[in-house]
Every structure is written in structure tokens, then in C-alpha cells.
Amino acid sequence: LRNSSTLALPQPTRFSPLLPHGRRPASFRRLTEPDELDVWLVEGLFDVSELQRLVGFCERRGAFQPSLQKDKHGQVVRDGRRTSNSCAMLWPMLCSAEQSEGEGREELVAAVDAT
């Protein structure tokens, strides 16, 4: 739904590398025009059990907050129309010890620094 009109989804423009356990690559569809703030639909990145685990993690620590919306200039929009909540992920807390060592270590360190 965009401007009160139903639109067909655009074709995916990007695909992730092959995901673990032989899962198909995730697909990325841009939902906005080039002159608008980037909004993407990402499909297939997580399976249902992974999403349930992530949501449970956020609920247990009471971390859901109303989502902020920014315009293309980075200014926070305060129009009272936000209808969603967000939860910042603390990736090192979600990963096993094996995942937090080796190749993924630098990415996890960067995630900790970002949060």
C-alpha cells in the first residue's frame, strides 16, 4: 500500500549469498523511488524459528520502543503516525561461542561498538 493505492511488488534487485544449511539466498526489493529515503523489503533472510527467537529475546529484556522515522535529510519526523516498534539487536548476546570466534569476530565487535 502506497499513497492509499495497492502496488505490485517490484522484482528483487539483489540476492544474498547462499545462507547456512542450504537455504536459498535472501532477496532484496527496493520499495521506494530513487529520490526517496531507501526502504527495502528483505525476504528469506531468517526462518520462522529464528524470528521467534529474536522477538522473544527483545520481549524478555523489554527492549521494544516506538520506531523513529527520519526524512531524507536525517531529521526525525514527529507526525504521530508511527505504528511500529523496533528493538536494537545485541548480536554477540545472540550468537554462540563458535560464531563469535574466527571469521565473524570482527563483525560482532563492530556490532557491539554500534550499539
Side-chain angles (χ1 to χ4, degrees), residues 29-56:
R29 301 171 193 260
R30 185 176 178 149
L31 301 179
T32 53
E33 299 297 326
D35 62 336
E36 298 175 316
L37 191 65
D38 288 345
V39 176
W40 293 81
L41 172 62
V42 180
E43 298 172 292
L45 187 59
F46 298 102
D47 66 29
V48 173
S49 66
E50 291 169 327
L51 291 174
Q52 289 170 336
R53 181 174 173 239
L54 292 171
V55 168

Side-chain angles (χ1 to χ4, degrees), residues 16-97:
S16 69
L18 190 62
L19 296 172
H21 310 295
R23 291 195 344 228
R24 298 180 64 162
S27 63
F28 296 74
R29 301 171 193 260
R30 185 176 178 149
L31 301 179
T32 53
E33 299 297 326
D35 62 336
E36 298 175 316
L37 191 65
D38 288 345
V39 176
W40 293 81
L41 172 62
V42 180
E43 298 172 292
L45 187 59
F46 298 102
D47 66 29
V48 173
S49 66
E50 291 169 327
L51 291 174
Q52 289 170 336
R53 181 174 173 239
L54 292 171
V55 168
F57 180 78
C58 286
E59 287 176 339
R60 283 189 299 281
R61 63 185 178 99
F64 279 108
Q65 300 176 15
S67 301
L68 293 179
Q69 181 179 8
K70 294 183 180 181
D71 64 19
K72 62 183 174 182
H73 304 291
Q75 299 297 312
V76 175
V77 176
R78 299 188 190 283
D79 60 8
R81 299 185 323 178
R82 299 303 301 155
T83 59
S84 64
N85 289 318
S86 300
C87 173
M89 292 285 113
L90 303 175
W91 292 108
M93 295 174 68
L94 298 170
C95 297
S96 68

